[in-house]
Each structure stands twice: as structure tokens, then as C-alpha cells.
């Protein structure tokens, strides 16, 4: 039996309850402060990268490729000074709300790791942060033609940094080939070597397509677009009543599966001397027999072409641009197909010895070019070398053994490498018309920056050539 005073017990219970309530209130207060602190910390976190996108497939084809960085919150305006890229590439930068667009105004190198860091500030918080992103450019690939006098000819491909080549297409008597978007286009000769067939062999499994021609005749200057899939070839019909040399265009996406001739300003089928595909587009530049240049839209061949003036020679496009290089007897020029502006091309002097013979010239830009040069050596044998000529002087970027002929040079799409075709001095001519070859031909890859040429592939007529 308790002797406690009932009033005292009540007072003790009241004091205990008060202490409990104070403890609960204090605990709730501490939790509230902690929760508020976490919310403020989250609110004032600097911007982070939410997403990024870069066009890997076309990163090495032309300048102007874009990298888009998206922040996880709104950011203040950003310019080029806020963005660093390693290795260094010239860039232009624009921004809007949460997005930064980096435009590469220079060419990217193949198989290279690029690191981008953008310094940003949250527009709502004022807190700084960085958007970091890295990507690796793809390797470059080149395809060549290998002729076999005892068997079937082959089109083989190899990555510049790869170890082995692979066979893409085999057939009897391949005169020339072109890499299309979905396979290999090829001109195949008949037994006489006078007439040709035009075929499209799909990549991987698939049935070889025999592209119908308007008659029999000679085919040459086959080209194809790996971007649009467009295929074109010059056709010289055996029928004397037909146009002497017409450009036939074939689009594998066209449900009619018909080749179409290119017409001139008068609406009649044009007599074509030379032609090029405008990189990455469905347009063609055509040179007629009277040396008129025409810009043709293959999406509507019935539309009148756009005249570009008269010039003696087409020499392709400056790397990564839509600037067409043309030549005349006394000068060279570039035609910007985006603006229509024509600019005289003034190239620095190569300083050749009077006894040397200048050969093919490949323009790299307004003030740099590559040139094949040969010089007479002992026993009347020509010695070859490839020069890189620029405003700072002349460098020898490739110097084969004495007496080894350099037949051709072509630029990779990003102007990083030269495909250099050399011939075996003891090799035998294969006797093919239009595009003849020599046994023992090899195509080497020359890095224009380092001069290294330790990789190559047996074959000739590299796919990098126009």
C-alpha cells in the first residue's frame, strides 16, 4: 500500500510529461532545421550535365559539326571563352536556356579522345558549375581495288589504324568502283573490254543489283555518295545518234529503279566532260564539253541547273567545305557554293629546281597544298617525292625509294591523311581500258602532321579519290 501523497504523484507525472513534450518539440525542431538545410543545399547546387549529343557519323567529313550540351537547370549565357577542348580545335559557341551548342570550325582528327569542359552559372541560383563531356572520333577507312590476272578482282577495305583488310566485293574484270551508302557500286567490263555493266552490291547479305542502262556503251568516272546513296557515271553510248558522253544518275531509293540523264540549260541531255558530287548533299557539279559548270539538284532533274561560270578543270572541294576548286590555264579559283562567291586561289611557291617535274596538286586550303614532284635520277630513272607547301615553307612528307613511282595522292575527308598510291617498278600493266593498274601497287597512309607512313593496303584507286 503506497504512502505517497496523491497530489505529489500527480505533480511528478506532470513534470515528466512536460520534459517529454519539450524533448519531442526539440527533436522536431532539429529535424526541421536539418530538412530545410538539405533543401537549401539542393537548391543551390551548381549546374550539372544532363545530356549531350555529337554527330559521330559525320564528325570527320566536314567542318561545322556540332556538339550539344544540356544542363540540368537554366544557365547564364555562355561564349567560347567559357569552353575548353583538349586537344585544341577552333570552335564557335552559342547558348540558350539550358543548352550550349559547340560548333567545330576546324577538322577533327580520327581516333582521338576529345575532352570538353564548359564553365557555367545557374541563372536562378548564381552558383557555378561545369559541364564535362568526352567523346572519341571514329577511325578512317579506305577501300582499294585489287586486280587478279588469274582470278576475280576484289574491292578491299581497311581502317587506317586497323590490322587487317576485309573483302567487300568480288567480280570478274572490275574497271572501277565507288563506296555508296548501302554497298559498293562497280563498273564491270565484258570480255571485249569495250562495254560495261553498272552494278550495286549491297553490304552484307543481299542480292547484287544490275542497274539498267539505256543501251550499250562505255562507262567511266563512276562516283557515289556514302551520305545520300546517289550513284552517277559517265555513259558514252555506242549509238552514234546519242549524246557523246552523258551523266547518268541512279538513286537506290527511287521506286522506279531507273537511271536518269542530267540535262543542260536548254533542257536537253548534256554532253558532260567531268563531274563531282557536292559533299553531303544531293547536288552535283557538272562540267560540259564547252567547259561550262552547272550546279544540278538531283531531287528535281527537270529543273534548270544553276550556271557557275566557265572553267577548264574541276579539282574537287577544299576539305570539310563546300568550296569547289577549279583551274584555268593561268590561275586557279574557289567557288563557294553556299554564297556563290568566286575567289582567286593564290598558292605559295614550291621553289622547285628547274629540272624537277611538278605533278598533281591537292589544295588543303587557301595557302597550303600537297604536290607530287619527280626529278631525273641516275640512269634516267625518275625519283618521286610528295611535298607539303605552305606559307612557312616546303616540307617533304613522303619520299619513297629511288625509282618507285607515285601514281596518285588523295586526301582523307578530314585532311589528316594522304592515301599515296605507289607502284612496283617491276609490276606488269593489267591492260584494262580507262582505269589501268599495275601489279604490286600499294596504297600507304601518310599522316600530314607527323609524316608517318607505316600502314597501308595492297591495291590502288583509293576510295578517298574524287
Amino acid at each position: 500500500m503506497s504512502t505517497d501523497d496523491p497530489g505529489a504523484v500527480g505533480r511528478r507525472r506532470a513534470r515528466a510529461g512536460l520534459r517529454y513534450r519539450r524533448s519531442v518539440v526539440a527533436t522536431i525542431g532539429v529535424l526541421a532545421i536539418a530538412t530545410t538545410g538539405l533543401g537549401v543545399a539542393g537548391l543551390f547546387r551548381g549546374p550539372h550535365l544532363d545530356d549531350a549529343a555529337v554527330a559521330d557519323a559525320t564528325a570527320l567529313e566536314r567542318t561545322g559539326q556540332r556538339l550539344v550540351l544540356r544542363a540540368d537547370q537554366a544557365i547564364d549565357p555562355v561564349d567560347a571563352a567559357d569552353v575548353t577542348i583538349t586537344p585544341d580545335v577552333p570552335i564557335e559557341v552559342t547558348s540558350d536556356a539550358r543548352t550550349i551548342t559547340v560548333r567545330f570550325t576546324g577538322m577533327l582528327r580520327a581516333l582521338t579522345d576529345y575532352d570538353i569542359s564548359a564553365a557555367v552559372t545557374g541563372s536562378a541560383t548564381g552558383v557555378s558549375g561545369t559541364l564535362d563531356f568526352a567523346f572519341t572520333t571514329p577511325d578512317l577507312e579506305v577501300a582499294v581495288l585489287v586486280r587478279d590476272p588469274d582470278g576475280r578482282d576484289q574491292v578491299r577495305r581497311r581502317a587506317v589504324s586497323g590490322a587487317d583488310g576485309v573483302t567487300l566485293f568480288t567480280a570478274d574484270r572490275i574497271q572501277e568502283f565507288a563506296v555508296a551508302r548501302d554497298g559498293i557500286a562497280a563498273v564491270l567490263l565484258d570480255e571485249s573490254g569495250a562495254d560495261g555493266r553498272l552494278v550495286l552490291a549491297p553490304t552484307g547479305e543481299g542480292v547484287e543489283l544490275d542497274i539498267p542502262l539505256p543501251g550499250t556503251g562505255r562507262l567511266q568516272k563512276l562516283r557515289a555518295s556514302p551520305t545520300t546513296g546517289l550513284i552517277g557515271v559517265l555513259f558514252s553510248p555506242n549509238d552514234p545518234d546519242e549524246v557523246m558522253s552523258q551523266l547518268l544518275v541512279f538513286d537506290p531509293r527511287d521506286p522506279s529503279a531507273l537511271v536518269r540523264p542530267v540535262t543542260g540549260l536548254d533542257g536537253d541531255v548534256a554532253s558532260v566532260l567531268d563531274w563531282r558530287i557536292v559533299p553531303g548533299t544531293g547536288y552535283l557539279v557538272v562540267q560540259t564539253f564547252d567547259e561550262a559548270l552547272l550546279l544540278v539538284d538531283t531531287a528535281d532533274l527537270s529543273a534548270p541547273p544553276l550556271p557557275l561560270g566557265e572553267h577548264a578543270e574541276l579539282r574537287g572541294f577544299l576539305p570539310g567545305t563546300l568550296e569547289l576548286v577549279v583551274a584555268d590555264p593561268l590561275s586557279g579559283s574557289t567557288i563557294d557554293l553556299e554564297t556563290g562567291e568566286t575567289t582567286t586561289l593564290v598558292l605559295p611557291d614550291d621553289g622547285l629546281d628547274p629540272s624537277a617535274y611538278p605533278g598533281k596538286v591537292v589544295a588543303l586550303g587557301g595557302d597550303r597544298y600537297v604536290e607530287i614532284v619527280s626529278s631525273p635520277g641516275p640512269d634516267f630513272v625518275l625519283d618521286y617525292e610528295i611535298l607539303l607547301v605552305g606559307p612557312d615553307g616546303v616540307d617533304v612528307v613522303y619520299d619513297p625509294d629511288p625509282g618507285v613511282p607515285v601514281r596518285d595522292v588523295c586526301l582523307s575527308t578530314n585532311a589528316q591523311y594522304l592515301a599515296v598510291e605507289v607502284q612496283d617498278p617491276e609490276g606488269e600493266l593489267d591492260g584494262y581500258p580507262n582505269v589501268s593498274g599495275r601489279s604490286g601497287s600499294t596504297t600507304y597512309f601518310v599522316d600530314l602532321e607527323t609524316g608517318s607512313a607505316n600502314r597501308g593496303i595492297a591495291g590502288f584507286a583509293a576510295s578517298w579519290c574524287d
Side-chain angles (χ1 to χ4, degrees):
M1 178 175 170
S2 174
T3 59
D4 287 344
D5 178 10
V9 171
R11 287 191 296 273
R12 285 198 299 273
R13 289 176 177 173
R15 287 194 295 271
L18 180 59
R19 287 195 299 271
Y20 174 75
R21 288 193 297 272
R22 288 174 177 169
S23 176
V24 169
V25 170
T27 301
I28 291 174
V30 170
L31 289 174
I33 292 172
T35 303
T36 302
L38 289 174
V40 170
L43 179 64
F44 289 95
R45 178 178 59 81
H48 284 62
L49 183 67
D50 184 52
D51 190 20
V54 63
D56 291 335
T58 57
L60 303 179
E61 293 181 6
R62 52 188 179 271
T63 59
Q65 300 303 298
R66 286 174 168 80
L67 166 66
V68 178
L69 305 174
R70 295 182 182 87
D72 61 355
Q73 57 182 274
I75 56 176
D76 288 342
V78 173
D79 59 27
D82 301 312
V83 179
T84 58
I85 178 169
T86 307
D88 186 47
V89 179
I91 58 174
E92 294 176 351
V93 175
T94 58
S95 64
D96 179 29
R98 295 170 49 200
T99 301
I100 299 173
T101 300
V102 179
R103 179 177 177 270
F104 300 104
T105 58
M107 298 297 291
L108 301 179
R109 290 178 61 85
L111 212 62
T112 301
D113 298 325
Y114 285 93
D115 295 303
I116 295 93
S117 181
V120 295
T121 302
S123 57
T125 65
V127 177
S128 299
T130 57
L131 308 185
D132 295 317
F133 181 69
F135 69 95
T136 302
T137 51
D139 203 352
L140 289 163
E141 295 181 331
V142 68
V144 296
L145 178 57
V146 181
R147 295 219 175 108
D148 185 351
D150 301 316
R152 290 163 67 84
D153 298 338
Q154 301 178 46
V155 175
R156 290 181 58 79
R157 180 185 66 199
R158 172 187 167 160
V160 171
S161 300
D164 301 310
V166 297
T167 299
L168 301 177
F169 176 62
T170 61
D172 294 328
R173 297 179 63 77
I174 302 175
Q175 175 184 279
E176 54 185 308
F177 76 95
V179 178
R181 182 184 56 192
D182 301 318
I184 298 296
V187 171
L188 309 181
L189 297 178
D190 64 9
E191 291 299 327
S192 69
D195 299 330
R197 295 167 48 215
L198 180 60
V199 301
L200 176 60
T203 303
E205 298 295 330
V207 179
E208 181 180 302
L209 175 65
D210 207 318
I211 300 173
L213 300 173
T216 58
R218 184 180 64 177
L219 298 173
Q220 58 182 330
K221 296 191 175 180
L222 172 69
R223 296 185 173 95
S225 170
T227 305
T228 66
L230 193 72
I231 298 168
V233 67
L234 291 188
F235 173 63
S236 300
N238 293 332
D239 187 343
D241 295 330
E242 294 288 337
V243 172
M244 179 171 57
S245 180
Q246 52 190 282
L247 175 58
L248 301 180
V249 177
F250 177 74
D251 186 347
R253 298 170 297 179
D254 185 349
S256 71
L258 296 175
V259 294
R260 299 170 294 162
V262 169
T263 57
L265 293 172
D266 58 4
D268 294 332
V269 175
S271 295
V272 178
L273 180 64
D274 201 359
W275 72 288
R276 295 291 189 279
I277 296 174
V278 180
T281 76
Y283 286 85
L284 313 176
V285 174
V286 174
Q287 182 188 36
T288 64
F289 266 76
D290 58 3
E291 297 186 349
L293 300 188
L294 306 174
L295 182 64
V296 177
D297 183 1
T298 60
D300 185 7
L301 287 177
S302 63
L306 179 68
L308 298 174
E310 295 182 5
H311 296 280
E313 185 181 352
L314 288 179
R315 290 192 174 177
F317 288 84
L318 292 180
T321 75
L322 296 181
E323 294 186 44
L324 177 69
V325 181
V326 296
D328 292 295
L330 299 179
S331 66
S333 306
T334 60
I335 304 173
D336 191 327
L337 298 186
E338 292 185 292
T339 66
E341 181 180 1
T342 298
T343 304
T344 300
L345 191 60
V346 180
L347 297 176
D349 185 16
D350 54 16
L352 289 184
D353 187 277
S355 64
Y357 306 113
K360 181 178 179 179
V361 171
V362 180
L364 301 175
D367 58 359
R368 298 174 70 238
Y369 62 97
V370 169
E371 181 179 29
I372 301 177
V373 174
S374 56
S375 303
D379 301 323
F380 304 102
V381 174
L382 290 177
D383 290 335
Y384 287 78
E385 58 186 4
I386 299 176
L387 307 181
L388 175 60
V389 184
D392 297 328
V394 180
D395 293 318
V396 177
V397 294
Y398 187 72
D399 187 11
D401 292 336
V404 175
V406 176
R407 167 168 157 160
D408 202 3
V409 293
C410 310
L411 275 176
S412 63
T413 53
N414 68 342
Q416 179 180 351
Y417 291 97
L418 280 177
V420 179
E421 179 190 327
V422 300
Q423 296 181 327
D424 182 351
E426 305 299 325
E428 297 182 359
L429 290 172
D430 55 30
Y432 281 58
N434 301 323
V435 184
S436 63
R438 187 184 292 270
S439 62
S441 294
T442 303
T443 298
Y444 291 101
F445 312 127
V446 178
D447 190 319
L448 280 174
E449 184 174 300
T450 65
S452 64
N454 55 359
R455 293 185 176 91
I457 183 172
F460 70 103
S463 56
W464 292 350
C465 301
D466 285 330

